Amino acid sequence: MTDTSAPLASRRRLPVSILIGTGLAVVIVAAAVLAPSLIPFDPMRMAAGPRLAAPSFDHLFGTDEFGRDLFSRVLTGGRLSLGIGLTAVVSGLAIGGLIGLVAAFAGRLVEATLLRIIDVLYSFPDTLIALALVAFLGPGIENATLAIAISLVPFYARVTYGLAAAERAKPYVEAAKLAGIHTGRLVRVHVMPNIGQSLVVMGTLGFSSAILSAAGLSFLGLGVQPPSPEWGAILASGRNYINKAPWILIFPGVAICLTVLSFNLIGDSLRDLVDPRRKDRS
Amino acid sequence: MTPDALTLDNIRKTFSSGGRVVHALSGVSLSVGKGETLGVIGESGSGKSTLGRIAVGLEVQSSGKLFIDGERVDDMSAVMRRRRLRQCQMIFQDPYSSLNPRLTVGHQIGEGLYAAGVSDWREIRSTVADLLERVGLPRDFADRYPHEFSGGQRQRIAIARALAPGPEIVVADEPVSALDVSIQAQILDLLAEIRRENRLSYLFISHDMAVVARLCDRVAVMHRGRVVESGPIAAVIENPQHPYTRNLLDAVPRFGRRRTGRKPVPVDLPLHGDGDRFVSVGEGHTVLQASEDAAAG
Amino acid sequence: MTSSGNPYLTVRDLTVSFQGKGGEFHAVDRIGFELDRGEILALVGESGSGKSMTSLAVMRLLPQAARMSGRITIAGDDVASLPRRQMEDVRGARIGMVFQEPMTSLNPVLTIARQMTEGLIRHQGLSRKAALAAARSALDDVGFGEPDRVLSQYPHQLSGGMRQRVMIAAALALRPGILIADEPTTALDVTVQAQVLDLLVDLKSRLGSGILLITHDIGVVAETADRVAVMRHGRIVETGATDAVLRNPTHDYTKALLASHLTVEKALGLRPAEKGAPSRS
Ligand SMILES: Nc1ncnc2c1ncn2[C@@H]1O[C@H](COP(=O)(O)OP(=O)(O)OP(=O)(O)O)[C@@H](O)[C@H]1O
Ligand SMILES: [Mg+2]
């Protein structure tokens, strides 16, 4: 109601962090997607060059203990890592989101029960949950992806519940209820469009955590299995040569860091952009 | 005799928040006749909104009975109750948070028709346009989003949305408090006009005596979860009986009086208990009287 | 009403503008007024008329995007030319400010004592003890019978009206020459509003404070202000002694504002006489 608000709603500048984050992400995703046409060697081909060769013009990232070209392996590995991350995030978000929405809209009893469970699970680090699940399911890329997806569920359930519960109390939702709109439609048509944006942001943040978990599991030999060039798996195979051929560790390590960094940068700044959005009131 | 549109009988509501129990309503009884407008006035926290929310079913009373058209609804099954309560719609105070920012205005109004069983969106669209026209907005505003509208226009949209399911009772919780005075008058006139045409009953919640006087037939004055005085609007304003009503009326700013800066002698407001009874002081005009033993104890 | 010498606050040709989509937007457009101690000047107008921007300009608290021109002097000093540090002292020591929403201007995790003494210690270099004494007497000024109890409390333990009185006390503790009160009662119940308005009038007559009262409620103006300036679209369209302006408005907008003001009596008269309901003409 004060006179101050109207003229203040000027354009907000995009923060630098989002530009850096997006730039990095574009390069990483493009490299992964275009990997088949970018790589000079078959990533699985042994003796593509000398064994444990240092980075050179022929082998940009050097070679590993079997003489495989690391540049080709890291790029191809990106496809795996990003693929696992994306699959895990999408399914984790779908399941967690559904649980969060149910908790927020299916009545007091369901709400209390689900929240209790979510809170307990949420108190464990998600990598730990993923680890326990893989130990139970057995190693392999599908199981690892599934485990990571499930490990993200408590986080996404929590976040979605929080957003939905805040929305639920708003008069526009109450008005929709009064009009007799049943709960399913209420959530789908009225609530989802208002929290979707925030959920996408949360998806971005979960993505980096999924990539880390994937690498961690593969490193421990529980995720992607050895000949496949997933980043964590490459790291694991290189750890015996840390003195002789540190590049085996450096390049996939840097790839993991940059990916995590870029998606965290994007997620964090998007969150800041989305949050103080409702500036029209108070 | 036709039954009243809405009757609340000895409604109590307690909230427990953080271990403390708040008595929001301590036995409120009132009724709104068909085509009648009952104003509810009182200070912040006196329970006005809680009362309104119970009347439309957004909140459930801790005890007491709720009747619509003479039919008791609080002991119906959930499904029946929800269907019955569709006759009660609400207009909220804040014209910003009460509209969905992501749906077009037409879509939001139309949802009420859709839920009422109209499944042809072409038909819905034309009814929505009629409703917009009804509340004084151009028909083609249906395709716009709420942020394109001013507070007064939004409140008109909210009224159209409340009308869509075809209610008989409309609870308006401070519908003009957030608006400029000149806009307030327009919205009040619109509400009066709609009431006449649709033969609606209003439960009109406000903290502004002038606004209540403008629109309401009767008024119930609330204080600390109780109705302390009620009656025809003119009777209550011209002949206030309860000390709180007098305070309230005296505090309203007026022309021809200057504040002196001297503190008025504080009035002791009676603390009412459950045993207190209403006494009649005029036709339809009753006031809650503190019982002797309550005053002594 | 103002003394023939230099008024405490003078505003000349004040313009506040913003760069908007459709070019420059004037939130405040070449307005001028003065305010002396011991009087209440009301700035009245609808939302968006530029009232708050005016008060922010006086306090030099305008948002960054705003451009200001004109001349504002407080006790003889040109506000625009004061260095930042000195302006901080002016704010507080010479002008106090009270806002609409008392809760947002109080820090929820600090006791009232902490919040009230901080400014005193910083601006006036008082010792903690002296600051507490000043806070206590300011709370006494605004009508708290037991200042010590209030001092030990947190904002959420006070009612809306008490919070607003605390805000006024906090502003008064620095003994400013004038007080800017921006919609100080809009968020309050009428009964509490009456107390706060009584307090403002009391401060004027007892302590000789000058008060710039910003409000949209012409009824409040009628009861409390000595002079009134009616604002619309950033301009002052009419100004003068309250009685004169309200009794004989000359500008159409003032007339419209008065006409749209709804009093209880007028409201009763406006009711259509229906089904034999008792109604007055
Ligand atoms: N969901 C809730 N949980 C806990 N307490 C509540 C809840 N809703 C209302 N209350 C309490 O019930 C009492 C009555 O509140 P209500 O909102 O009905 O008052 P009101 O008369 O509408 O006030 P206002 O004029 O400020 O809107 C208050 O003490 C309030 O704090
Ligand atoms: Mg309320």
Side-chain angles (χ1 to χ4, degrees):
Chain A
M1 282 293 273
T2 54
D3 319 6
T4 45
S5 58
L8 284 181
S10 60
R11 305 134 282 170
R12 201 173 315 170
R13 245 165 290 141
L14 278 182
V16 187
S17 54
I18 201 170
L19 296 178
I20 297 176
T22 319
L24 265 176
V26 166
V27 172
I28 293 167
V29 171
V33 171
L34 301 176
S37 45
L38 287 180
I39 54 176
F41 299 96
D42 177 350
M44 311 292 256
R45 189 177 132 209
M46 304 210 187
R51 299 176 63 231
L52 301 179
S56 65
F57 192 73
D58 285 338
H59 302 283
L60 285 175
F61 291 0
T63 63
D64 67 5
E65 74 271 30
F66 298 114
R68 289 176 297 206
D69 178 50
L70 271 173
F71 179 73
S72 307
R73 285 181 70 74
V74 169
L75 251 59
T76 312
R79 291 169 78 81
L80 276 174
S81 292
L82 296 181
I84 295 175
L86 189 67
T87 317
V89 162
V90 169
S91 19
L93 185 54
I95 302 169
L98 197 64
I99 295 175
L101 288 173
V102 169
F105 285 96
R108 289 260 186 88
L109 196 68
V110 177
E111 178 176 6
T113 318
L114 281 178
L115 278 188
R116 193 68 47 86
I117 299 173
I118 294 170
D119 276 341
V120 170
L121 291 177
Y122 188 48
S123 62
F124 294 104
D126 42 9
T127 311
L128 193 67
I129 299 183
L131 200 61
L133 281 168
V134 176
F136 176 73
L137 295 168
I141 181 167
E142 289 87 4
N143 285 350
T145 311
L146 180 64
I148 295 168
I150 295 176
S151 76
L152 288 171
V153 165
F155 169 67
Y156 284 130
R158 198 63 253 193
V159 168
T160 310
Y161 169 78
L163 292 167
E167 220 59 27
R168 170 180 76 176
K170 292 193 180 156
Y172 81 82
V173 173
E174 301 195 318
K177 268 196 224 164
L178 289 181
I181 295 159
H182 63 79
T183 313
R185 186 176 176 87
L186 182 75
V187 172
R188 214 160 22 84
V189 177
H190 297 257
V191 176
M192 274 313 286
N194 283 289
I195 65 174
Q197 212 177 18
S198 307
L199 284 181
V200 170
V201 174
M202 289 302 159
T204 326
L205 285 174
F207 189 71
S208 39
S209 143
I211 299 264
L212 265 184
S213 295
L217 289 179
S218 304
F219 184 80
L220 295 173
L222 296 169
V224 175
Q225 295 302 302
S228 294
E230 200 272 348
W231 291 338
I234 303 177
L235 276 181
S237 69
R239 84 193 119 166
N240 295 329
Y241 307 96
I242 187 157
N243 292 321
K244 257 198 274 176
W247 49 89
I248 308 184
L249 294 152
I250 290 172
F251 290 106
V254 168
I256 295 173
C257 287
L258 288 181
T259 311
V260 169
L261 177 71
S262 72
F263 283 94
N264 275 346
L265 282 177
I266 297 175
D268 276 340
S269 24
L270 277 184
R271 182 164 52 186
D272 294 347
L273 279 183
V274 170
D275 266 356
R277 169 186 45 151
R278 299 260 150 70
K279 271 206 66 197
D280 19 337
R281 292 292 293 167
S282 76
Chain B
M1 203 181 103
T2 55
D4 285 328
L6 173 73
T7 301
L8 296 127
D9 182 21
N10 200 18
I11 297 280
R12 289 171 187 278
K13 178 71 183 175
T14 53
F15 292 103
S16 49
S17 60
R20 277 189 319 157
V21 175
V22 180
H23 294 269
L25 296 173
S26 313
V28 170
S29 301
L30 47 84
S31 49
V32 189
K34 289 232 162 75
E36 184 186 47
T37 298
L38 174 69
V40 176
I41 195 165
E43 65 186 2
S44 177
S46 58
K48 308 182 295 293
S49 296
T50 307
L51 187 74
R53 294 169 62 80
I54 287 174
V56 295
L58 281 176
E59 208 86 68
V60 177
Q61 65 271 33
S62 308
S63 74
K65 298 175 210 150
L66 177 64
F67 299 86
I68 290 172
D69 270 345
E71 201 180 344
R72 186 161 172 194
V73 289
D74 51 284
D75 56 0
M76 287 179 178
S77 71
V79 180
M80 281 298 290
R81 185 169 60 227
R82 175 175 279 200
R83 187 170 308 156
R84 207 80 181 82
L85 283 171
R86 208 177 306 156
Q87 289 180 9
C88 307
Q89 293 297 317
M90 186 149 174
I91 302 166
F92 298 84
Q93 169 172 4
D94 179 8
Y96 290 84
S97 59
S98 73
L99 294 182
N100 190 335
R102 305 246 167 212
L103 291 187
T104 63
V105 161
H107 191 166
Q108 308 194 41
I109 302 173
E111 281 285 296
L113 297 162
Y114 180 84
V118 190
S119 52
D120 176 8
W121 274 93
R122 252 190 328 213
E123 189 186 333
I124 290 180
R125 277 191 67 85
S126 85
T127 315
V128 165
D130 291 345
L131 281 167
L132 282 174
E133 204 163 41
R134 182 69 219 72
V135 298
L137 295 173
R139 296 175 74 89
D140 58 5
F141 272 19
D143 294 323
R144 304 202 186 172
Y145 286 88
H147 71 257
E148 301 175 49
F149 297 103
S150 68
Q153 287 174 322
R154 281 163 182 254
Q155 214 53 314
R156 286 174 191 273
I157 294 164
I159 293 172
R161 180 183 57 191
L163 292 179
E168 286 167 21
I169 300 158
V170 171
V171 173
D173 191 354
E174 313 245 15
V176 298
S177 306
L179 307 175
D180 273 331
V181 212
S182 53
I183 314 288
Q184 282 192 3
Q186 296 168 11
I187 298 292
L188 290 175
D189 286 346
L190 175 65
L191 286 171
E193 217 175 282
I194 289 171
R195 168 184 61 187
R196 192 158 6 93
E197 284 170 15
N198 298 26
R199 220 175 134 59
L200 290 178
S201 306
Y202 288 146
L203 185 67
F204 186 88
I205 297 167
S206 177
H207 65 270
D208 185 338
M209 192 55 111
V211 164
V212 169
R214 176 87 179 77
L215 191 73
C216 301
D217 306 307
R218 286 193 304 131
V219 62
V221 182
M222 287 191 66
H223 187 55
R224 304 213 177 118
R226 286 187 161 81
V227 172
V228 294
E229 181 162 2
S230 73
I233 184 76
V236 172
I237 287 175
E238 283 159 12
N239 189 18
Q241 292 296 310
H242 196 277
Y244 176 70
T245 315
R246 288 202 200 116
N247 266 5
L248 197 63
L249 281 164
D250 187 56
V252 178
R254 64 184 50 137
F255 292 82
R257 174 178 78 177
R258 301 282 303 174
R259 297 216 161 261
T260 56
R262 273 188 295 279
K263 281 175 219 87
V265 193
V267 189
D268 273 331
L269 294 175
L271 272 178
H272 291 290
D274 287 348
D276 295 359
R277 294 275 164 265
F278 281 96
V279 292
S280 172
V281 290
E283 204 187 316
H285 184 179
T286 57
V287 57
L288 189 61
Q289 193 127 72
S291 59
E292 297 303 321
D293 37 317
Chain C
M1 208 40 102
T2 44
S3 55
S4 51
N6 281 332
Y8 199 78
L9 166 71
T10 61
V11 173
R12 290 271 163 273
D13 264 334
L14 174 67
T15 297
V16 177
S17 57
F18 291 90
Q19 212 54 50
K21 265 188 239 143
E24 213 173 16
F25 163 76
H26 293 275
V28 177
D29 198 0
R30 284 168 293 152
I31 69 165
F33 60 85
E34 42 205 45
L35 171 66
D36 220 336
R37 309 182 65 141
E39 65 165 347
I40 298 183
L41 168 66
L43 223 48
V44 67
E46 294 187 274
S47 75
S49 58
K51 308 181 301 273
S52 292
M53 280 299 151
T54 305
S55 68
L56 291 175
V58 171
M59 298 291 280
R60 224 169 90 183
L61 288 174
L62 283 171
Q64 294 237 311
R67 276 226 310 271
M68 188 198 115
S69 66
R71 189 179 155 82
I72 299 171
T73 59
I74 295 168
D77 286 328
D78 187 341
V79 165
S81 64
L82 284 178
R84 185 173 297 271
R85 283 295 300 279
Q86 220 172 323
M87 188 59 212
E88 274 175 26
D89 289 337
V90 168
R91 241 181 259 145
R94 294 192 206 163
I95 334 174
M97 184 143 183
V98 181
F99 297 94
Q100 172 169 347
E101 191 24 80
M103 202 56 194
T104 53
S105 10
L106 286 169
N107 185 334
V109 298
L110 297 182
T111 59
I112 301 300
R114 269 292 293 283
Q115 318 204 29
M116 285 191 68
T117 52
E118 208 165 293
L120 288 165
I121 295 171
R122 211 180 49 213
H123 288 306
Q124 309 210 315
L126 296 185
S127 69
R128 254 193 72 73
K129 234 174 108 186
L132 263 181
R136 204 172 286 128
S137 93
L139 286 172
D140 189 56
D141 280 339
V142 301
F144 281 108
E146 299 171 85
D148 284 309
R149 222 184 86 201
V150 180
L151 280 171
S152 67
Q153 285 179 312
Y154 290 89
H156 69 91
Q157 294 172 303
L158 306 171
S159 73
M162 288 164 91
R163 277 184 220 129
Q164 198 55 290
R165 274 152 66 202
V166 166
M167 286 306 299
I168 295 174
L172 285 177
L174 297 159
R175 298 277 169 230
I178 58 175
L179 191 66
I180 299 182
D182 191 347
E183 302 269 6
T185 60
T186 304
L188 305 177
D189 283 320
V190 266
T191 47
V192 185
Q193 162 170 295
Q195 293 167 18
V196 172
L197 293 178
D198 272 330
L199 169 63
L200 291 181
V201 172
D202 179 54
L203 295 174
K204 172 192 84 166
S205 44
R206 201 160 42 85
L207 303 182
S209 315
I211 297 173
L212 182 63
L213 175 64
I214 294 172
T215 179
H216 66 273
D217 187 339
I218 206 143
V220 167
V221 175
E223 286 190 329
T224 53
D226 300 304
R227 289 186 303 126
V228 59
V230 182
M231 276 191 86
R232 186 194 193 193
H233 298 335
R235 304 219 172 123
I236 292 180
V237 297
E238 179 161 9
T239 181
T242 305
D243 266 359
V245 171
L246 297 192
R247 209 162 282 161
N248 295 311
T250 53
H251 195 278
D252 283 345
Y253 181 68
T254 315
K255 290 179 191 161
L257 209 58
L258 280 164
S260 67
H261 178 71
L262 194 62
T263 62
V264 175
E265 289 74 20
K266 199 155 92 183
L268 278 184
L270 276 171
R271 301 175 46 72
E274 15 178 357
K275 45 180 178 178
S279 74
R280 310 188 332 159
S281 55

